[in-house]
Amino acid sequence: MIGRHSGLHVYRELFRSRDFLKLLVGAGIIPVALLIDATSLSGLPAMSLGSILLIVSIAINGLPIVMEAGRGLMARKVNVDELVSIAIIACLVTGNYLEGALVSAIMVFGSLIEEAVSDSARNSIRALMEVTPETALREVDGREVVTSVRDVKKGDVLVIRAGDTIPVDGVVLEGKTSVNEASITGESIPVIKASDDAVYAGTACVDGFIRIRADRVGEDSTIGRIVQMVEAAERQKTESAKIVDKYAAWFTPAILLIAVLTYVATRDVTRSITVLIVGCPCSFLLASPVSTVAAIGRAAKSGILVKGGKYLENLATATGFFFDKTGTITKGEPEVVAIRPVLGRSEDEVLCLAAAVETGSLHPLGVAIVDRARAMGNVVVPAREVCTEVGRGICGQVQGARVEIVASETAEESGATTVDVLVDGALAGTISLRDNPRETAAETMRELRAVGVRDLVILSGDKPLPVGNIAERVGISQFHAAQKPDQKLERIKSYDQGKTVYIGDGINDAPALKAASTGIAMGLRGSDVALETADIVLLGDRLDQLPFLVRLARRMSGIIKIGILLSFAINFLAIVAGSAGLLTPILGALTHNLGAIIVVSLAASIRFARER
């Protein structure tokens, strides 16, 4: 029981728990026992009714602790329950029934308070699990049928009205609405959704009416995958927690030895009992996991998915931040600014050839080319045998000709990005596109420097001129252009000034994301690779959240260290005081739990961190 909450997986509402009711009954017996302490029972001259009631109280609150310790020993796992169990048994053997009953009640009450405070750190995570509805309105043969969300299949058509929560990931087939995506991105401003737009499970339809096609359901939906990953992140230990676990294994035998030496030196069993009680390192064990869960939950509340506390630990001390350009520093929404045909071809012809190959591409430049072609009224027929050469370009068969879209060797003074359109190896024309930096990019770089980040670097596959143009506009002096994925990887690996952070889109940047101490992906929509590769995902594509994330990481790491030092100091002083007879078992139990509650409360305070 004591220390069981360091796992942080089995919390319940405090006042609804069976443990709390048992505590009330067991603790309520104690004052009754004191009132009738002098009453003796016939046949038991050495045992008063009050003593029997105190033993009953110990059985209610103390027996579960002893049983938990026994199960731990049978499983060959040493837990801190053993220390309190020995103390309770010693109270029974020596006739200190009042001390045994009070210590049992205090320890259980302290454990429940720890549970309640720790549980508050999980509120943001629990909120994620509760956002999806239990039923959906499904179209069946022209009729609307209320269906359990568990029974919705991929391809089903669902009807969503104003006030409804969207139950699955899907695509809008008909209608228009405003959707509050705060549960996914942390951004409370509703987003307009119309035909062909993607919608996500757990988001709320503010107004209007839409029909959607279910694409991802249940655990495969965006919110389902987020919940799974956050739960996995809870179970992942930080480096601090691993160190605590390593030394915690020595606590029980060490405290037992001190208790024995105390009895040998003083012949006072009460002092030994006190040492056993105050020696439990509950707060020591709780400092790291509660802080980690609080930080992950706080990040989730702002639309930031963190896959484990160790990545926040790495982020807290990172000195080098490396950024991809397109879609990370920039908006990822480039526009076609010029089309230059050659060999007698027209602008429309060059644009349509490029669009045919780029149809279906997720790269922002490809999307921009297709959008421009369609906006000009051209019919785009998708190319066949399309293949992508990472870091170079894309190619495919268009009406029997091999069409390639590759980075141009020609640089534009304006800083626009230029691609060449090749037909059977011959240049058919060039297309220039410009992608402006995010409005928050320059301020984000200033804030990162203000929090002590030393090196800010852009690594881009684009040409030097457009990369340099963007770097200058956002205030970054270090940049490397024309970088293929393997070159980005080497840049990350060769950085020897400290820990690294790479921020990219999670697709072409996968090697760099994995190589960095912490990989951060921009955005979740349509990018499974971002979830699979990155350690942290900014669900709302908000670059300006990076300084907050650094502050949150440092706060978590700092509180873990403070909690460990504070719990160690409290335990050490309490053991000394207990050995010297300055603490009774009852005061020892109060001191132990007060220390644990202070440490846990300090850790849980992380969830109130502000973005600004």
Side-chain angles (χ1 to χ4, degrees):
M1 177 176 293
I2 309 302
R4 65 180 173 168
H5 306 297
S6 60
L8 299 178
H9 301 302
V10 290
Y11 294 114
R12 300 182 299 271
E13 291 292 335
L14 173 62
F15 297 109
R16 296 178 184 176
S17 70
R18 185 177 299 176
D19 285 343
F20 185 73
L21 295 177
K22 287 168 60 179
L23 169 66
L24 287 180
V25 173
I29 291 174
I30 297 175
V32 176
L34 293 177
L35 289 174
I36 59 175
D37 184 50
T39 304
S40 60
L41 294 177
S42 58
L44 293 172
M47 184 74 70
S48 68
L49 179 58
S51 296
I52 293 175
L53 289 177
L54 288 173
I55 292 172
V56 172
S57 176
I58 293 173
I60 293 174
N61 287 324
L63 185 60
I65 300 175
V66 176
M67 292 176 64
E68 188 72 23
R71 282 193 286 267
L73 289 174
M74 291 177 65
R76 296 183 180 179
K77 292 181 180 179
V78 178
N79 195 352
V80 293
D81 286 338
E82 283 80 9
L83 298 176
V84 178
S85 299
I86 294 171
I88 292 171
I89 293 170
C91 285
L92 286 171
V93 172
T94 58
N96 294 316
Y97 304 129
L98 176 60
E99 287 82 354
L102 285 171
V103 165
S104 298
I106 291 170
M107 298 303 277
V108 172
F109 181 68
S111 178
L112 291 175
I113 293 297
E114 292 168 18
E115 176 177 329
V117 176
S118 299
D119 200 25
S120 70
R122 295 169 50 87
N123 286 345
S124 297
I125 296 172
R126 182 181 291 111
L128 283 175
M129 303 177 187
E130 296 175 350
V131 295
T132 52
E134 295 182 357
T135 60
L137 204 58
R138 183 163 61 101
E139 276 194 2
V140 181
D141 298 328
R143 296 180 297 108
E144 296 178 4
V145 179
V146 176
T147 306
S148 171
V149 172
R150 291 190 297 270
D151 296 330
V152 174
K153 302 293 190 299
K154 181 178 179 179
D156 285 351
V157 176
L158 306 181
V159 176
I160 313 293
R161 292 188 171 87
D164 291 348
T165 298
I166 298 171
V168 298
D169 286 7
V171 174
V172 178
L173 298 176
E174 178 188 357
K176 188 175 183 180
T177 183
S178 297
V179 177
N180 186 337
E181 297 184 334
S183 60
I184 299 293
T185 67
E187 178 57 60
S188 59
I189 299 176
V191 179
I192 302 297
K193 298 289 184 178
S195 294
D196 298 327
D197 287 339
V199 292
Y200 304 94
T203 58
C205 182
V206 177
D207 53 26
F209 162 92
I210 53 174
R211 294 169 64 248
I212 68 171
R213 182 189 68 242
D215 282 351
R216 289 174 174 163
V217 300
E219 293 183 352
D220 291 331
S221 68
T222 297
I223 196 70
R225 288 181 292 166
I226 291 173
V227 169
Q228 291 175 58
M229 289 186 174
V230 172
E231 288 178 330
E234 287 184 72
R235 294 189 290 272
Q236 185 186 85
K237 292 183 180 293
T238 62
E239 292 303 314
S240 299
K242 291 177 182 177
I243 293 172
V244 168
D245 286 347
K246 180 179 178 180
Y247 286 98
W250 296 91
F251 269 69
T252 297
I255 298 302
L256 281 172
L257 178 60
I258 294 172
V260 170
L261 293 176
T262 299
Y263 178 75
V264 171
T266 64
R267 296 296 173 179
D268 186 347
V269 71
T270 301
R271 295 190 187 189
S272 296
I273 291 172
T274 304
V275 169
L276 291 171
I277 292 169
V278 299
C280 293
C282 295
S283 55
F284 189 68
L285 295 173
L286 285 165
S288 180
V290 176
S291 298
T292 300
V293 169
I296 291 172
R298 177 61 189 88
K301 186 178 180 181
S302 291
I304 303 171
L305 173 62
V306 180
K307 293 187 180 179
K310 71 176 183 180
Y311 304 118
L312 289 177
E313 276 189 327
N314 292 339
L315 185 63
T317 57
T319 57
F321 276 58
F322 296 80
F323 298 85
D324 176 42
K325 179 179 75 71
T326 304
T328 302
I329 294 293
T330 65
K331 297 177 182 179
E333 300 173 356
E335 298 177 349
V336 175
V337 294
I339 304 171
R340 301 181 183 86
V342 297
L343 301 176
R345 297 181 185 272
S346 67
E347 290 188 6
D348 277 0
E349 187 178 2
V350 171
L351 186 63
C352 286
L353 286 170
V357 176
E358 295 285 6
T359 299
S361 172
L362 294 178
H363 194 284
L365 296 180
V367 172
I369 290 172
V370 174
D371 287 347
R372 177 62 178 272
R374 289 174 175 167
M376 292 177 65
N378 295 306
V379 177
V380 179
V381 179
R384 296 181 295 105
E385 300 176 20
V386 176
C387 62
T388 301
E389 184 179 339
V390 177
R392 183 175 185 273
I394 188 171
C395 65
Q397 294 290 326
V398 180
Q399 297 178 348
R402 178 180 172 81
V403 177
E404 298 175 84
I405 315 297
V406 299
S408 177
E409 297 295 332
T410 305
E412 288 208 14
E413 294 183 3
S414 65
T417 297
T418 302
V419 296
D420 292 339
V421 181
L422 307 177
V423 178
D424 291 330
L427 180 66
T430 63
I431 300 175
S432 296
L433 306 97
R434 182 180 293 114
D435 189 10
N436 292 315
R438 297 175 185 272
E439 289 83 357
T440 60
E443 179 61 27
T444 297
M445 301 310 148
R446 284 193 290 270
E447 288 188 28
L448 286 174
R449 288 194 181 91
V451 297
V453 177
R454 187 169 63 237
D455 297 312
L456 301 174
V457 186
I458 292 179
L459 300 179
S460 175
D462 209 344
K463 295 299 177 182
L465 198 58
V467 177
N469 178 271
I470 292 296
E472 182 179 1
R473 292 172 67 180
V474 301
I476 293 179
S477 59
Q478 300 181 63
F479 65 89
H480 300 279
Q483 298 289 292
K484 293 183 179 180
D486 59 327
Q487 293 173 308
K488 291 184 178 183
L489 177 64
E490 287 306 314
R491 294 279 182 188
I492 298 293
K493 286 184 175 181
S494 63
Y495 182 80
D496 58 2
Q497 304 300 309
K499 292 184 178 178
T500 56
V501 177
Y502 185 84
I503 303 98
D505 62 16
I507 301 174
N508 293 332
D509 299 308
L513 284 168
K514 293 305 293 182
S517 304
T518 300
I520 302 178
M522 295 293 292
L524 177 62
R525 295 176 178 86
S527 178
D528 290 333
V529 179
L531 278 174
E532 295 168 0
T533 308
D535 307 313
I536 297 175
V537 181
L538 304 180
L539 301 181
D541 272 5
R542 289 182 53 194
L543 193 70
D544 62 312
Q545 288 182 318
L546 287 177
F548 160 68
L549 195 55
V550 172
R551 292 193 297 270
L552 181 68
R554 290 177 179 174
R555 182 170 180 176
M556 183 200 80
S557 296
I559 285 180
I560 288 175
K561 293 173 183 176
I562 291 171
I564 290 173
L565 291 174
L566 184 61
S567 61
F568 181 81
I570 291 172
N571 275 37
F572 177 77
L573 293 174
I575 289 170
V576 172
S579 300
L582 301 177
L583 286 179
T584 64
I586 295 171
L587 288 176
L590 290 171
T591 301
H592 166 272
N593 282 298
L594 181 61
I597 291 168
I598 290 173
V599 170
V600 170
S601 298
L602 184 65
S605 69
I606 295 173
R607 66 187 293 264
F608 300 107
R610 295 182 179 180
E611 280 200 34
R612 298 289 177 185

